[in-house]
Amino acid sequence: MIKDNLSAIYSELPSAVKLVAVSKFHPVAELQEAYAAGQRLFGENRPQELAAKVPQLPDDIQWHFIGHLQTNKLKLVLPYAALVESVDSVHLLEAVDRWGRENGRIIPILLELHLGAEESKQGLTEAEIRQVLARDWPGVSIRGLMGMATHTEDETLIRADFARISALQQSLRQQYPGLTELSIGMSGDWRIALEYGATLVRIGTAIFGPRPLSR
Ligand SMILES: *Cc1c(COP(=O)(O)O)cnc(C)c1O
């Protein structure tokens, strides 16, 4: 049951770490179940799905956007997202910044670091992140880093990814004290992510079960 899954996770989660309940592909009724159990922070990765779910659920929910965002979909996401965790290119960052300025908003975001070996994975390189931070972005507030570890059973590789993003965040934070967030860890690896200083964990399957329509 969703409620039991949530309480099992919360019983192990340090109180300073926020749990993003990743509800993508799951019907509104299941989000309502999580809401009834006290969950207020949800993560979605598809713009249309987010925009469709928001009006069907209570307005004290905080939504994090965690998927790839195309610049022509900003208006489906930016009005609703409390945090865009997945800013994965300079092009997207420029578009979000422009949208923020044009709409009189400062959009909270995380920069997604490219982790893992898979070619298809989105994300900024370490060099791009340093260049981005050296620029002024009046329409966004950069709160930290997000990363997805290599999809593997090999814990050594997962730990190497988490160690890399964690070291980068700590080093950047000395220069940019506002970079307080580190979003790492999913259903399979969130306990490991805690060892590397995760402040946000993004958990879907371990709360809601397998995704009904995925792939
Ligand atoms: C789907 C997704 C998750 C959650 O994955 P689970 O393995 O179901 O916990 C976390 N982060 C991102 C970016 C995702 O797309």
Side-chain angles (χ1 to χ4, degrees):
M1 243 185 97
I2 290 170
K3 184 176 191 283
D4 303 316
N5 295 340
L6 280 168
S7 25
I9 294 168
Y10 275 111
S11 73
E12 280 186 63
L13 201 67
S15 58
V17 180
K18 292 175 288 265
L19 170 60
V20 183
V22 177
S23 47
K24 63 190 190 196
F25 297 94
H26 289 280
V28 164
E30 292 183 14
L31 282 77
Q32 280 162 342
E33 219 177 304
Y35 182 90
Q39 183 65 24
R40 293 293 180 271
L41 175 55
F42 291 84
E44 289 285 337
N45 76 335
R46 297 187 301 179
Q48 279 91 349
E49 186 174 342
L50 172 68
K53 281 175 172 171
V54 168
Q56 301 182 62
L57 283 145
D59 59 14
D60 62 341
I61 286 181
Q62 283 203 8
W63 299 94
H64 285 194
F65 190 78
I66 61 169
H68 180 56
L69 181 54
Q70 287 172 300
T71 53
N72 62 351
K73 302 275 169 64
L74 297 186
K75 64 178 186 306
L76 294 173
V77 171
L78 300 186
Y80 314 116
L83 183 67
V84 180
E85 296 199 15
S86 45
V87 172
D88 56 11
S89 72
V90 178
H91 175 68
L92 174 61
L93 178 58
E94 287 169 345
V96 174
D97 178 62
R98 191 178 323 117
W99 193 96
R101 284 185 280 111
E102 287 172 0
N103 290 276
R105 294 265 317 273
I106 297 174
I107 309 293
I109 65 150
L110 304 180
L111 299 173
E112 182 173 352
L113 174 68
H114 178 274
L115 284 176
E118 291 111 295
E119 284 299 321
S120 63
K121 274 226 184 96
Q122 306 287 336
L124 296 151
T125 66
E126 202 170 312
E128 283 174 323
I129 287 178
R130 290 183 186 278
Q131 285 160 16
V132 152
L133 289 170
R135 286 170 60 183
D136 256 355
W137 302 96
V140 301
S141 167
I142 304 176
R143 302 282 171 84
L145 302 182
M146 183 272 234
M148 277 170 91
T150 308
H151 189 69
T152 172
E153 298 287 299
D154 185 347
E155 198 179 305
T156 317
L157 293 177
I158 295 171
R159 285 181 180 277
D161 282 341
F162 287 163
R164 188 156 78 80
I165 191 169
S166 173
L168 179 63
Q169 188 232 0
Q170 281 174 39
S171 126
L172 294 173
R173 205 176 162 181
Q174 295 177 9
Q175 201 179 346
Y176 307 99
L179 299 184
T180 53
E181 302 292 345
L182 180 61
S183 177
I184 49 173
M186 311 186 1
S187 289
D189 56 20
W190 64 271
R191 290 180 185 82
I192 304 173
L194 296 179
E195 296 178 38
Y196 294 86
T199 64
L200 288 159
V201 290
R202 310 177 310 268
I203 301 181
T205 311
I207 297 171
F208 297 103
R211 284 179 276 280
L213 305 168
S214 69
R215 277 165 277 264

